[in-house]
Amino acid sequence: MREKKDSSIQIRVGMTDLDSYNIVHHPQYLIWCEKAIWQWMREWGSEKEMEGIGLFDVKKVVCKFCGAARLGEMLEIYVKENAKEEEFGGDKRKFSVRIENTVTKARVLEGDFEIAVRG
């Protein structure tokens, strides 16, 4: 089995990501975090998890909004696995996620996600 690693994806802020104040609407950050976790699972999940890729439920989210992103900005979403526990019917995993502006390195969001991988 290969060593676990961090993962990241990049997202460019588009028109449909904005709210009426022309900054990213806060639920959009959570969608991007889920997408980054899904990518982590594709890169580092077990063979059993890969068979049902994309089948996980978010159980808990705790996040801190540190700043706002605007149209056209490039963001990087970093994912790190903190824990894995076996549960009936699947695994429970905990991830730390952070979003940063790729140019200024300003932190936009930091959070912890707990997911249940369907077995």
Side-chain angles (χ1 to χ4, degrees):
M1 185 174 161
R2 57 188 179 164
E3 180 183 334
K4 297 291 185 200
K5 301 214 180 217
D6 297 348
S7 180
S8 71
I9 64 169
Q10 289 190 344
I11 300 282
R12 182 170 301 279
V13 177
M15 288 290 296
T16 59
D17 303 321
L18 305 179
D19 64 13
S20 61
Y21 296 101
N22 287 326
I23 59 175
V24 172
H25 191 51
H26 61 277
Q28 189 62 41
Y29 296 112
L30 302 179
I31 293 167
W32 292 337
C33 289
E34 280 190 50
K35 184 182 270 192
I37 290 169
W38 183 80
Q39 181 61 36
W40 186 98
M41 296 291 289
R42 286 185 50 82
E43 291 178 25
W44 304 108
S46 69
E47 287 182 32
K48 179 181 173 189
E49 291 166 337
M50 294 307 288
E51 291 173 6
I53 193 65
L55 300 178
F56 67 82
D57 299 313
V58 176
K59 296 296 185 182
K60 183 178 180 181
V61 176
V62 177
C63 63
K64 175 182 174 184
F65 293 95
C66 307
R70 290 169 175 73
L71 181 63
E73 292 182 338
M74 183 65 78
L75 304 175
E76 188 139 13
I77 299 123
Y78 298 92
V79 177
K80 179 181 179 181
E81 183 184 40
N82 293 329
K84 178 181 177 182
E85 303 168 16
E86 290 187 23
E87 281 190 340
F88 179 74
D91 291 330
K92 181 169 68 172
R93 292 179 180 259
K94 295 180 181 180
F95 294 94
S96 292
V97 179
R98 77 179 190 278
I99 301 177
E100 293 180 359
N101 181 301
T102 60
V103 175
T104 66
K105 304 299 181 199
R107 191 157 298 183
V108 177
L109 177 140
E110 53 191 33
D112 295 305
F113 283 70
E114 186 176 299
I115 67 166
V117 180
R118 296 184 196 177

